[in-house]
């Protein structure tokens, strides 16, 4: 045996959780503290979204879902930091509007900037941080050797004190004009933009905008062998749950890559590949559809997509079916060297009984009154994978 050197990079981690979705979610006031909604919102900069679902379910619900979700449009602009604080751009987009911006650069190597909810975040090398005169904090570097400490500066530009003429604001303007005065390329998304906006009248017109849209690429794969998607019971051992989570995530990944290993007619030599479908003898085969969006995708759009998918009505069926499932994955831009969630996958299954506080209270009240009829609320089950790569 050859003795290979151990890798010095941090090991990748995957956190798996499951639960039951609320039976009803108000699109105007969706939850933001409970999973999986909190996981979606905690990943603001996404470059790829992938949706996997059976073709029968796709044919049944996708037209209605597609009519509800908005089109994604984003722009690539060239701006300096000082131009963010000038004139109409500052007043329309930052003070009163809602935009999402991410600059070019490699995390841990280059100076990188982002803007979300009015908060401007600067990741700077030590020399520039000291020259700027702004207050920040050191960034974790994952224990890398021979690398200088980098610093992050976060400023809420929507505060009442962030106005021209104020001492603190003028310090930021001075730093942007005298130290961080180079132009960079940004990805830009305006949440309040409409298709009728004229390109000549928007504040980004003078910054050489290149506007792009995100349209899904649709791929259909026939005769895919499908394992059992029911997670093990809580009474089962942790090893069973761990094995099931790894096997199902691997199976979903192979669908996304359009691998022939999951096809019914696959006859590859086991010397070349030893992969086997979990519960491959179950005999279930589905035609699967994969939709992929690539671009600069905000978390709010992904949350809307997930809500409309999970609440879609399958009116052509009576009751739940084994084909009532979908998997939604999102992959993030690399914005940090350590402790960043790089991707997540939500597998939404058929309906189950929601064990919520209101349901338990209703059961207790019914028991006290002596009524044997209990009205349980139903919600779809979900399994969530959260990936942190090394």
């Amino acid at each position: 045996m050859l003795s290979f050197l151990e890798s010095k990079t941090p090991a990748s981690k995957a956190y798996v959780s499951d639960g039951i979705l609320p039976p009803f979610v108000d699109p105007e006031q969706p939850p933001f503290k409970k999973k999986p909604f909190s996981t979606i919102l905690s990943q603001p900069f996404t470059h790829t979204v992938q949706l996997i679902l059976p073709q029968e379910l796709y044919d049944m619900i996708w037209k209605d879902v597609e009519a509800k979700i908005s089109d994604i449009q984003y722009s690539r602009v060239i701006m300096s930091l000082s131009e963010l604080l000038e004139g109409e751009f500052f007043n329309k987009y930052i003070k009163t509007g809602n935009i999402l911006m991410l600059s070019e650069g490699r995390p841990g190597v280059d100076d990188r900037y982002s803007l979300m909810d009015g908060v401007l975040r600067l990741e700077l090398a030590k020399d520039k941080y000291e020259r700027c005169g702004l207050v920040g904090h050191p960034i974790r570097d994952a224990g890398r050797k021979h690398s200088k400490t980098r610093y992050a500066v976060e400023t809420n530009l929507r505060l009442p004190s962030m106005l021209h003429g104020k001492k603190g604001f003028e310090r930021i303007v001075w730093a942007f004009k005298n130290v961080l005065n180079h132009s960079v390329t940004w990805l830009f998304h305006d949440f309040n933009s409409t298709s009728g906006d004229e390109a000549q009248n928007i504040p980004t017109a003078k910054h050489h905008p290149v506007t792009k849209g995100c349209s899904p690429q649709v791929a259909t794969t026939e005769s895919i062998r499908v394992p059992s998607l029911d997670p093990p019971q809580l009474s089962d051992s942790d090893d069973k749950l761990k094995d099931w989570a790894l096997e199902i995530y691997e199976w979903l990944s192979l669908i996304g890559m359009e691998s022939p290993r999951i096809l019914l007619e696959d006859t590859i030599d086991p010397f070349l590949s030893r992969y086997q479908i979990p519960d491959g003898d179950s005999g279930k085969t589905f035609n699967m559809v994969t939709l992929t969006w690539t671009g600069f995708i905000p978390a709010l759009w992904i949350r809307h997509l997930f809500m409309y998918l999970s609440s879609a009505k399958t009116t052509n069926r009576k009751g739940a079916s084994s084909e009532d499932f979908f998997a939604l994955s999102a992959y993030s831009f690399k914005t940090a060297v350590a402790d960043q969630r790089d991707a997540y996958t939500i597998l939404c299954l058929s309906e189950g009984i929601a064990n919520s506080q209101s349901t338990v209270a209703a059961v207790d009240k019914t028991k006290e009154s002596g009524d044997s009829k209990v009205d349980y609320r139903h919600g779809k089950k979900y399994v969530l994978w959260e990936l942190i790569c090394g």
Side-chain angles (χ1 to χ4, degrees):
M1 296 289 292
L2 298 174
S3 85
F4 295 99
L5 295 176
E6 294 183 0
S7 174
K8 300 298 182 181
T9 58
S12 301
K13 299 177 182 178
Y15 298 95
V16 183
S17 57
D18 65 339
I20 298 178
L21 296 174
F24 172 76
V25 175
D26 184 1
E28 300 298 328
Q29 295 180 333
F32 60 90
K33 291 185 178 180
K34 293 184 178 181
K35 291 185 177 183
F37 302 99
S38 61
T39 301
I40 296 175
L41 295 179
S42 64
Q43 182 175 300
F45 306 109
T46 299
H47 62 77
T48 301
V49 173
Q50 193 171 68
L51 173 64
I52 299 172
L53 71 170
Q55 186 171 13
E56 181 182 349
L57 184 62
Y58 170 82
D59 295 337
M60 194 177 302
I61 70 172
W62 181 246
K63 286 186 178 180
D64 294 335
V65 172
E66 189 178 24
K68 294 178 181 178
I69 59 176
S70 59
D71 296 331
I72 308 174
Q73 275 196 343
Y74 68 98
S75 301
R76 188 174 69 243
V77 296
I78 302 174
M79 300 178 63
S80 63
L81 285 171
S82 62
E83 290 175 318
L84 297 178
L85 309 181
E86 294 176 354
E88 191 178 0
F89 189 96
F90 182 65
N91 295 326
K92 178 179 179 180
Y93 285 142
I94 298 179
K95 280 296 187 180
T96 61
N98 189 13
I99 61 174
L100 188 70
M101 296 183 71
L102 180 66
S103 76
E104 61 181 326
R106 296 165 294 175
V109 179
D110 304 318
D111 294 340
R112 201 171 195 190
Y113 322 125
S114 63
L115 179 65
M116 180 180 66
D117 295 331
V119 178
L120 179 63
R121 177 182 172 88
L122 315 174
E123 296 185 7
L124 307 172
K126 184 178 181 179
D127 57 337
K128 288 188 178 180
Y129 171 73
E130 292 176 343
R131 289 165 54 199
C132 283
L134 303 177
V135 179
H137 57 85
I139 303 174
R140 287 193 58 191
D141 58 1
R144 295 184 304 164
K145 294 183 179 180
H146 312 295
S147 61
K148 296 182 179 180
T149 304
R150 300 180 63 82
Y151 291 84
V153 179
E154 294 186 355
T155 305
N156 189 350
L157 298 176
R158 292 181 182 171
L159 293 177
S161 60
M162 292 291 108
L163 293 173
H164 289 280
K166 298 289 186 178
K167 185 176 180 180
F169 189 77
E170 291 300 327
R171 180 188 299 175
I172 298 173
V173 173
W174 180 91
F176 289 176
K177 288 185 176 180
N178 294 276
V179 181
L180 306 174
N181 52 9
H182 57 285
S183 297
V184 295
T185 302
W186 301 74
L187 293 176
F188 172 91
H189 175 77
D190 182 11
F191 290 95
N192 299 328
S193 66
T194 59
S195 57
D197 291 344
E198 295 185 7
Q200 295 82 3
N201 299 330
I202 58 177
T204 57
K206 63 180 180 180
H207 301 297
H208 314 287
V210 178
T211 303
K212 297 186 177 182
C214 291
S215 299
Q217 297 180 355
V218 183
T220 302
T221 309
E222 298 181 351
S223 301
I224 291 181
R225 293 179 292 170
V226 179
S228 172
L229 298 178
D230 293 329
Q233 300 297 324
L234 294 177
S235 57
D236 295 339
S237 64
D238 292 341
D239 291 340
K240 271 190 176 181
L241 182 60
K242 178 181 178 181
D243 293 341
W244 179 89
L246 292 174
E247 290 171 349
I248 297 302
Y249 187 82
E250 183 181 25
W251 177 76
L252 291 172
S253 300
L254 291 176
I255 295 179
M257 295 187 295
E258 300 182 34
S259 171
R261 302 288 78 79
I262 55 177
L263 300 180
L264 179 63
E265 63 271 12
D266 181 54
T267 57
I268 192 168
D269 193 313
F271 181 79
L272 300 176
S273 175
R274 293 185 294 175
Y275 176 77
Q276 293 183 347
I277 299 288
D279 284 340
D281 299 332
S282 61
K284 292 190 296 183
T285 58
F286 291 163
N287 297 336
M288 304 293 291
V289 177
T290 304
L291 295 91
T292 305
W293 293 263
T294 304
F296 189 51
I297 307 173
L300 290 179
W301 184 89
I302 303 175
R303 184 178 66 177
H304 288 152
L305 174 62
F306 177 74
M307 286 193 302
Y308 294 138
L309 285 169
S310 59
S311 61
K313 302 297 183 181
T314 53
T315 54
N316 293 347
R317 292 204 191 101
K318 293 182 179 180
S321 169
S322 60
E323 293 191 32
D324 287 345
F325 71 90
F326 66 86
L328 182 65
S329 302
Y331 303 90
S332 173
F333 285 96
K334 192 68 175 177
T335 57
V337 177
D339 299 335
Q340 179 193 345
R341 182 183 292 106
D342 295 275
Y344 62 83
T345 296
I346 307 170
L347 175 62
C348 194
L349 304 170
S350 58
E351 293 186 351
I353 297 176
N355 184 18
S356 62
Q357 293 182 357
S358 58
T359 303
V360 175
V363 173
D364 293 339
K365 186 176 181 180
T366 306
K367 287 182 179 179
E368 291 176 1
S369 63
D371 190 357
S372 60
K373 184 179 178 181
V374 179
D375 185 17
Y376 290 97
R377 297 192 306 164
H378 292 266
K380 290 187 176 181
K381 297 183 288 186
Y382 74 88
V383 182
L384 170 65
W385 289 264
E386 300 173 80
L387 273 67
I388 300 177
C389 299

